Amino acid sequence: MSAFRKTPTWAMRKTPDVRTEVVVDNAVSRHFTVVDVFTKDRLGLLYDIARALHAEGLHRPFFKISTEGHRAADILRAR
């Protein structure tokens, strides 16, 4: 048995390009920062977004996630 995981065939398929867009809004809520992330969906995306926000000092995120084909629309609310 190999120590390395084999990449699943579905992950190797060519998918359409998706432009990444990040919108930060501090005006929509007095208590939260709202971050809209639109990007190409992939394994581990939500983890990477949450880790980056935590590194920037945004804590206790609330996520609203939507996937449209190969496009992920993640809306986050954090303090």
Side-chain angles (χ1 to χ4, degrees):
M1 185 168 157
S2 172
F4 299 101
R5 287 183 149 177
K6 185 177 179 182
T7 303
T9 56
W10 61 264
M12 295 186 294
R13 285 188 222 143
K14 179 77 173 139
T15 58
D17 289 333
V18 175
R19 186 175 70 104
T20 296
E21 181 182 0
V22 178
V23 179
V24 179
D25 189 346
N26 286 312
V28 73
S29 172
R30 289 191 301 180
H31 305 288
F32 299 98
T33 297
V34 176
V35 182
D36 295 324
V37 179
F38 304 95
T39 192
K40 187 172 185 175
D41 196 15
R42 63 175 173 77
L43 191 62
L45 175 62
L46 190 57
Y47 172 80
D48 289 342
I49 293 170
R51 191 170 142 194
L53 291 175
H54 181 76
E56 292 299 318
L58 296 173
H59 304 287
R60 293 186 289 159
F62 167 82
F63 292 93
K64 179 181 173 188
I65 303 158
S66 175
T67 303
E68 302 158 354
H70 298 287
R71 180 177 181 254
D74 296 338
I75 290 76
L76 310 119
R77 186 179 71 194
R79 287 189 189 255

